[in-house]
Amino acid sequence: MTVRVRLHASDPIRRDGLVAMLERAGFVLNGEAPDVVLCDDGPWPGEAEAPVVALTDAAAPPDVAGVLPRTARPCQIEAALRAAAAGLLVRLPASLPAPGFRGADDAPALTAREAEVLGAVGLGLSNKAIARRLGISVHTVKFHLEALFQKIGATSRAEAIVKGLKQGMIEL
């Protein structure tokens, strides 16, 4: 699929590098009817006609479809542009809640593995399927389930999913 990109970059040297990278990746530079807009460190377009992916080390407006650091590798920029053009949101790992984050003031912190297990439970996977997906034993999955059930006060998988969603520990 050919993706049309409009590029906003105030630094001419940086702009030339981004143009070369975009062309090598097979994007079509199109200012008229883009599928996605790539902005290098602002200024941000007010009313963009397409989803915006921002390359910035500062805070980007909350309505942009994608945010990457200015040091992002070409493969990351390419993936972000394709994802945004397809209607997906792209965020820096640091801007996402880390596994074990507290979604609410009273929400318990889960370990990264417990958060992964809870997310897999939310997808409806069995213990065996979770074990295969995460590369751990079924016994270890059960161990993590018991620990996270105790932390969030759940007595069943369904209750754990509901509490995890309400407390912002997982997204489905």
Side-chain angles (χ1 to χ4, degrees), residues 122-140:
L123 295 173
L125 299 178
S126 67
N127 288 358
K128 193 174 192 178
I130 295 170
R132 265 187 262 122
R133 176 178 274 200
L134 300 179
I136 58 179
S137 72
V138 174
H139 175 74
T140 303

PDB file of all heavy atoms in Angstrom, residues 122-140:
ATOM      1  N   GLY A 122      -7.305 -11.291  29.778  1.00  0.00           N
ATOM      2  CA  GLY A 122      -8.297 -10.412  29.182  1.00  0.00           C
ATOM      3  C   GLY A 122      -8.583 -10.739  27.736  1.00  0.00           C
ATOM      4  O   GLY A 122      -9.668 -10.449  27.221  1.00  0.00           O
ATOM      5  N   LEU A 123      -7.627 -11.347  27.051  1.00  0.00           N
ATOM      6  CA  LEU A 123      -7.828 -11.768  25.667  1.00  0.00           C
ATOM      7  C   LEU A 123      -8.532 -13.119  25.580  1.00  0.00           C
ATOM      8  O   LEU A 123      -8.786 -13.617  24.490  1.00  0.00           O
ATOM      9  CB  LEU A 123      -6.486 -11.840  24.934  1.00  0.00           C
ATOM     10  CG  LEU A 123      -5.757 -10.514  24.759  1.00  0.00           C
ATOM     11  CD1 LEU A 123      -4.376 -10.740  24.166  1.00  0.00           C
ATOM     12  CD2 LEU A 123      -6.578  -9.573  23.892  1.00  0.00           C
ATOM     13  N   GLY A 124      -8.811 -13.707  26.752  1.00  0.00           N
ATOM     14  CA  GLY A 124      -9.513 -14.988  26.779  1.00  0.00           C
ATOM     15  C   GLY A 124      -8.622 -16.199  26.628  1.00  0.00           C
ATOM     16  O   GLY A 124      -9.107 -17.295  26.337  1.00  0.00           O
ATOM     17  N   LEU A 125      -7.328 -16.032  26.825  1.00  0.00           N
ATOM     18  CA  LEU A 125      -6.410 -17.158  26.661  1.00  0.00           C
ATOM     19  C   LEU A 125      -6.432 -18.076  27.883  1.00  0.00           C
ATOM     20  O   LEU A 125      -6.574 -17.606  29.010  1.00  0.00           O
ATOM     21  CB  LEU A 125      -4.986 -16.651  26.440  1.00  0.00           C
ATOM     22  CG  LEU A 125      -4.755 -15.783  25.197  1.00  0.00           C
ATOM     23  CD1 LEU A 125      -3.305 -15.327  25.140  1.00  0.00           C
ATOM     24  CD2 LEU A 125      -5.112 -16.540  23.937  1.00  0.00           C
ATOM     25  N   SER A 126      -6.254 -19.347  27.630  1.00  0.00           N
ATOM     26  CA  SER A 126      -6.155 -20.330  28.710  1.00  0.00           C
ATOM     27  C   SER A 126      -4.768 -20.241  29.326  1.00  0.00           C
ATOM     28  O   SER A 126      -3.862 -19.620  28.757  1.00  0.00           O
ATOM     29  CB  SER A 126      -6.373 -21.742  28.155  1.00  0.00           C
ATOM     30  OG  SER A 126      -5.290 -22.087  27.293  1.00  0.00           O
ATOM     31  N   ASN A 127      -4.595 -20.886  30.471  1.00  0.00           N
ATOM     32  CA  ASN A 127      -3.280 -20.894  31.113  1.00  0.00           C
ATOM     33  C   ASN A 127      -2.224 -21.494  30.190  1.00  0.00           C
ATOM     34  O   ASN A 127      -1.099 -21.003  30.108  1.00  0.00           O
ATOM     35  CB  ASN A 127      -3.313 -21.675  32.433  1.00  0.00           C
ATOM     36  CG  ASN A 127      -4.064 -20.938  33.518  1.00  0.00           C
ATOM     37  OD1 ASN A 127      -4.539 -19.818  33.324  1.00  0.00           O
ATOM     38  ND2 ASN A 127      -4.187 -21.560  34.676  1.00  0.00           N
ATOM     39  N   LYS A 128      -2.599 -22.551  29.480  1.00  0.00           N
ATOM     40  CA  LYS A 128      -1.668 -23.209  28.572  1.00  0.00           C
ATOM     41  C   LYS A 128      -1.277 -22.265  27.427  1.00  0.00           C
ATOM     42  O   LYS A 128      -0.108 -22.165  27.068  1.00  0.00           O
ATOM     43  CB  LYS A 128      -2.311 -24.481  28.021  1.00  0.00           C
ATOM     44  CG  LYS A 128      -1.374 -25.414  27.328  1.00  0.00           C
ATOM     45  CD  LYS A 128      -2.119 -26.693  26.974  1.00  0.00           C
ATOM     46  CE  LYS A 128      -1.168 -27.765  26.546  1.00  0.00           C
ATOM     47  NZ  LYS A 128      -1.861 -29.025  26.255  1.00  0.00           N
ATOM     48  N   ALA A 129      -2.255 -21.551  26.873  1.00  0.00           N
ATOM     49  CA  ALA A 129      -1.979 -20.610  25.780  1.00  0.00           C
ATOM     50  C   ALA A 129      -1.137 -19.430  26.270  1.00  0.00           C
ATOM     51  O   ALA A 129      -0.253 -18.949  25.560  1.00  0.00           O
ATOM     52  CB  ALA A 129      -3.284 -20.111  25.169  1.00  0.00           C
ATOM     53  N   ILE A 130      -1.411 -18.974  27.494  1.00  0.00           N
ATOM     54  CA  ILE A 130      -0.616 -17.888  28.073  1.00  0.00           C
ATOM     55  C   ILE A 130       0.824 -18.354  28.242  1.00  0.00           C
ATOM     56  O   ILE A 130       1.767 -17.625  27.924  1.00  0.00           O
ATOM     57  CB  ILE A 130      -1.209 -17.414  29.422  1.00  0.00           C
ATOM     58  CG1 ILE A 130      -2.588 -16.792  29.218  1.00  0.00           C
ATOM     59  CG2 ILE A 130      -0.266 -16.436  30.118  1.00  0.00           C
ATOM     60  CD1 ILE A 130      -3.352 -16.528  30.512  1.00  0.00           C
ATOM     61  N   ALA A 131       0.997 -19.552  28.744  1.00  0.00           N
ATOM     62  CA  ALA A 131       2.340 -20.107  28.950  1.00  0.00           C
ATOM     63  C   ALA A 131       3.105 -20.160  27.628  1.00  0.00           C
ATOM     64  O   ALA A 131       4.271 -19.753  27.555  1.00  0.00           O
ATOM     65  CB  ALA A 131       2.253 -21.494  29.573  1.00  0.00           C
ATOM     66  N   ARG A 132       2.451 -20.644  26.571  1.00  0.00           N
ATOM     67  CA  ARG A 132       3.091 -20.702  25.259  1.00  0.00           C
ATOM     68  C   ARG A 132       3.459 -19.304  24.766  1.00  0.00           C
ATOM     69  O   ARG A 132       4.557 -19.081  24.275  1.00  0.00           O
ATOM     70  CB  ARG A 132       2.181 -21.378  24.235  1.00  0.00           C
ATOM     71  CG  ARG A 132       2.472 -22.850  24.091  1.00  0.00           C
ATOM     72  CD  ARG A 132       1.702 -23.480  22.962  1.00  0.00           C
ATOM     73  NE  ARG A 132       0.535 -24.126  23.571  1.00  0.00           N
ATOM     74  CZ  ARG A 132      -0.724 -23.870  23.275  1.00  0.00           C
ATOM     75  NH1 ARG A 132      -1.049 -23.020  22.355  1.00  0.00           N
ATOM     76  NH2 ARG A 132      -1.698 -24.495  23.902  1.00  0.00           N
ATOM     77  N   ARG A 133       2.518 -18.367  24.892  1.00  0.00           N
ATOM     78  CA  ARG A 133       2.732 -17.003  24.403  1.00  0.00           C
ATOM     79  C   ARG A 133       3.885 -16.311  25.122  1.00  0.00           C
ATOM     80  O   ARG A 133       4.676 -15.603  24.512  1.00  0.00           O
ATOM     81  CB  ARG A 133       1.461 -16.185  24.570  1.00  0.00           C
ATOM     82  CG  ARG A 133       1.648 -14.721  24.159  1.00  0.00           C
ATOM     83  CD  ARG A 133       0.388 -13.957  24.292  1.00  0.00           C
ATOM     84  NE  ARG A 133      -0.366 -14.131  23.068  1.00  0.00           N
ATOM     85  CZ  ARG A 133      -1.319 -13.326  22.665  1.00  0.00           C
ATOM     86  NH1 ARG A 133      -1.658 -12.300  23.394  1.00  0.00           N
ATOM     87  NH2 ARG A 133      -1.954 -13.537  21.542  1.00  0.00           N
ATOM     88  N   LEU A 134       3.983 -16.514  26.425  1.00  0.00           N
ATOM     89  CA  LEU A 134       5.000 -15.828  27.217  1.00  0.00           C
ATOM     90  C   LEU A 134       6.289 -16.639  27.392  1.00  0.00           C
ATOM     91  O   LEU A 134       7.254 -16.144  27.971  1.00  0.00           O
ATOM     92  CB  LEU A 134       4.434 -15.456  28.593  1.00  0.00           C
ATOM     93  CG  LEU A 134       3.219 -14.519  28.590  1.00  0.00           C
ATOM     94  CD1 LEU A 134       2.753 -14.242  30.009  1.00  0.00           C
ATOM     95  CD2 LEU A 134       3.525 -13.232  27.854  1.00  0.00           C
ATOM     96  N   GLY A 135       6.289 -17.879  26.930  1.00  0.00           N
ATOM     97  CA  GLY A 135       7.484 -18.707  27.048  1.00  0.00           C
ATOM     98  C   GLY A 135       7.787 -19.116  28.474  1.00  0.00           C
ATOM     99  O   GLY A 135       8.946 -19.180  28.875  1.00  0.00           O
ATOM    100  N   ILE A 136       6.729 -19.380  29.248  1.00  0.00           N
ATOM    101  CA  ILE A 136       6.884 -19.802  30.639  1.00  0.00           C
ATOM    102  C   ILE A 136       6.064 -21.066  30.843  1.00  0.00           C
ATOM    103  O   ILE A 136       5.290 -21.475  29.967  1.00  0.00           O
ATOM    104  CB  ILE A 136       6.456 -18.700  31.635  1.00  0.00           C
ATOM    105  CG1 ILE A 136       4.997 -18.273  31.403  1.00  0.00           C
ATOM    106  CG2 ILE A 136       7.382 -17.495  31.510  1.00  0.00           C
ATOM    107  CD1 ILE A 136       4.481 -17.203  32.363  1.00  0.00           C
ATOM    108  N   SER A 137       6.186 -21.692  31.999  1.00  0.00           N
ATOM    109  CA  SER A 137       5.432 -22.915  32.271  1.00  0.00           C
ATOM    110  C   SER A 137       4.012 -22.579  32.731  1.00  0.00           C
ATOM    111  O   SER A 137       3.740 -21.465  33.193  1.00  0.00           O
ATOM    112  CB  SER A 137       6.135 -23.748  33.348  1.00  0.00           C
ATOM    113  OG  SER A 137       6.003 -23.116  34.609  1.00  0.00           O
ATOM    114  N   VAL A 138       3.134 -23.561  32.618  1.00  0.00           N
ATOM    115  CA  VAL A 138       1.757 -23.389  33.096  1.00  0.00           C
ATOM    116  C   VAL A 138       1.767 -23.145  34.598  1.00  0.00           C
ATOM    117  O   VAL A 138       0.986 -22.337  35.109  1.00  0.00           O
ATOM    118  CB  VAL A 138       0.902 -24.631  32.744  1.00  0.00           C
ATOM    119  CG1 VAL A 138      -0.480 -24.540  33.361  1.00  0.00           C
ATOM    120  CG2 VAL A 138       0.804 -24.792  31.239  1.00  0.00           C
ATOM    121  N   HIS A 139       2.677 -23.794  35.308  1.00  0.00           N
ATOM    122  CA  HIS A 139       2.803 -23.590  36.746  1.00  0.00           C
ATOM    123  C   HIS A 139       3.141 -22.126  37.056  1.00  0.00           C
ATOM    124  O   HIS A 139       2.580 -21.537  37.983  1.00  0.00           O
ATOM    125  CB  HIS A 139       3.874 -24.521  37.323  1.00  0.00           C
ATOM    126  CG  HIS A 139       4.150 -24.292  38.780  1.00  0.00           C
ATOM    127  ND1 HIS A 139       3.284 -24.689  39.762  1.00  0.00           N
ATOM    128  CD2 HIS A 139       5.176 -23.651  39.404  1.00  0.00           C
ATOM    129  CE1 HIS A 139       3.768 -24.316  40.943  1.00  0.00           C
ATOM    130  NE2 HIS A 139       4.923 -23.687  40.746  1.00  0.00           N
ATOM    131  N   THR A 140       4.018 -21.541  36.268  1.00  0.00           N
ATOM    132  CA  THR A 140       4.401 -20.138  36.480  1.00  0.00           C
ATOM    133  C   THR A 140       3.227 -19.212  36.192  1.00  0.00           C
ATOM    134  O   THR A 140       3.021 -18.214  36.892  1.00  0.00           O
ATOM    135  CB  THR A 140       5.621 -19.775  35.616  1.00  0.00           C
ATOM    136  OG1 THR A 140       6.686 -20.683  35.936  1.00  0.00           O
ATOM    137  CG2 THR A 140       6.090 -18.356  35.870  1.00  0.00           C
TER     138      THR A 140
END
